[in-house]
Amino acid sequence: MPELPELNPVIHGKLRLALLSLLVGVEEAEFTWLRSKTGATDGNLGAQLAKLEEAGYVSVKKKFVQRKPQTLYRVTETGRHAFIEYVQALKQMLGGAIGS
Amino acid sequence: MTESNEEMELKDRLSLIETMIAEGRRTTGSWAWSFVFWGMAYYVAIAWTAYNQWPWAWLVTMTSAWVVCWALIKRQQKSQPQRRPGTTMGRAIFSVWTAMGVSLTLLLPALGLSGRFNLHVFVAIVAAMMGFANGASGMIIRWKAQIATAFVWWAATVAACFGSDGQCTVVFLTAIFLCQIVFGVYAMIFESRLRRQEAHHA
């Protein structure tokens, strides 16, 4: 039986997975939009995004729009690649589990 | 067969990914009004030209329509609590319409200034460009109704090359009515239905 792949622990966290899934579908997203879609608190959201940024999976851009600060997140190529690998591994594991 | 907790957890993760990707792509904008708006602008320009044959009626009407359209879009953006994130699909559609707008803005006045302008050429060019933009947008978002409007515009392009001036005008007025007014109203109903669904999902 082929060995099942391991799931990337950085992506496996529920909120981090939700964030990365949201970000792969858009070009870039504001912090407030991510908050409204995930329902997370500011603190938790900031911490999880920082972990994704630390892993090089998302990039952050801060700017001012009409004197209001705006933080924009975008998934990096590394992040996109890691996300695809995670989904493939997940499907493989589920396929293995269903097949067994 | 009973599923293990681990298997349930993995399925849960997969379902979370699908939901979030769909959520990110669900960016129903409000663009349908612009079809009706531009349809009305074309009618104003046609009526103005027919009324006093002023050669710049189209340019003045279209420029004014651009300014009003821009102001309405800005107002719409300001009224939204948060900016919708852009998608690659959205950028593709925006690019198609912007490129078409720039092409028409350059070509039509240039034809007018060079004296090579006539009603048949004008309707054929506008209809071809509208067919191109609607066809490309419809194919990008896979919306058959919009692809159908492209076919109407393309039919108008061919028809405009034949017949009398009067017939050409009727072809143009009909295409505007079907592709801008009727389609615009249909798209507005479609958008409001989508927004209701979004509100239900939220």
Side-chain angles (χ1 to χ4, degrees):
Chain A
M1 190 182 144
E3 206 173 301
L4 288 176
E6 274 195 24
L7 291 171
N8 183 335
V10 178
I11 303 179
H12 196 59
K14 225 169 187 175
L15 183 52
R16 290 194 294 273
L17 179 61
L19 290 168
L20 216 51
S21 305
L22 281 169
L23 288 169
V24 292
V26 298
E27 294 202 317
E28 58 183 15
E30 270 183 66
F31 183 89
T32 50
W33 183 80
L34 291 168
R35 187 181 58 196
S36 73
K37 294 292 171 191
T38 56
T41 60
D42 282 7
N44 194 12
L45 188 62
Q48 303 312 321
L49 281 165
K51 279 185 187 166
L52 288 172
E53 192 192 352
E54 210 175 286
Y57 294 168
V58 297
S59 64
V60 190
K61 193 169 74 184
K62 288 177 194 247
K63 62 178 186 178
F64 281 87
V65 177
Q66 290 168 344
R67 291 185 209 163
K68 283 181 191 162
Q70 203 177 58
T71 313
L72 294 162
Y73 292 87
R74 180 190 281 263
V75 70
T76 62
E77 268 313 302
T78 317
R80 199 173 290 275
H81 191 71
F83 179 76
I84 292 167
E85 274 185 351
Y86 177 87
V87 175
Q88 281 169 347
L90 193 61
K91 281 184 174 170
Q92 205 177 327
M93 287 179 91
L94 272 169
I98 292 162
S100 65
Chain B
M1 186 188 123
T2 51
E3 290 176 328
S4 68
N5 280 347
E6 197 186 344
E7 195 183 320
M8 285 283 283
E9 176 78 17
L10 293 180
K11 279 187 178 172
D12 203 34
R13 288 288 196 277
L14 205 57
S15 146
L16 175 72
I17 292 168
E18 284 167 359
T19 311
M20 286 296 141
I21 289 179
E23 196 65 40
R25 287 185 177 154
R26 193 182 292 147
T27 52
T28 315
S30 297
W31 294 104
W33 62 269
S34 67
F35 281 89
V36 180
F37 174 84
W38 282 99
M40 296 310 288
Y42 297 151
Y43 280 149
V44 168
I46 292 167
W48 191 355
T49 311
Y51 177 68
N52 63 5
Q53 302 294 317
W54 191 47
W56 298 102
W58 267 91
L59 191 66
V60 171
T61 313
M62 291 300 108
T63 310
S64 311
W66 269 114
V67 174
V68 174
C69 190
W70 185 256
L72 288 171
I73 291 169
K74 284 282 155 201
R75 201 176 141 198
Q76 195 180 35
Q77 283 173 345
K78 269 188 182 175
S79 68
Q80 282 165 355
Q82 56 195 193
R83 196 172 68 99
R84 287 170 190 276
T87 60
T88 310
M89 212 181 254
R91 191 152 54 89
I93 293 170
F94 177 77
S95 307
V96 166
W97 284 94
T98 306
M100 188 213 71
V102 172
S103 301
L104 282 180
T105 309
L106 292 174
L107 180 62
L108 295 177
L111 278 173
L113 289 170
S114 64
R116 292 187 170 91
F117 184 90
N118 69 54
L119 180 71
H120 294 267
V121 170
F122 170 73
V123 174
I125 288 174
V126 172
M129 290 285 199
M130 292 300 287
F132 158 73
N134 279 290
S137 301
M139 284 183 247
I140 290 168
I141 57 173
R142 295 193 181 103
W143 193 10
K144 284 178 185 161
Q146 194 168 19
I147 297 172
T149 67
F151 278 102
V152 174
W153 281 119
W154 288 327
T157 304
V158 176
C161 299
F162 303 94
S164 64
D165 280 6
Q167 286 167 333
C168 186
T169 306
V170 170
V171 163
F172 194 36
L173 291 173
T174 309
I176 293 169
F177 179 71
L178 292 175
C179 304
Q180 299 292 128
I181 311 294
V182 175
F183 173 71
V185 171
Y186 166 74
M188 280 160 90
I189 295 166
F190 189 78
E191 270 180 2
S192 72
R193 206 180 297 160
L194 275 181
R195 263 195 299 275
R196 269 204 303 274
Q197 277 174 8
E198 271 181 38
H200 181 72
H201 281 290

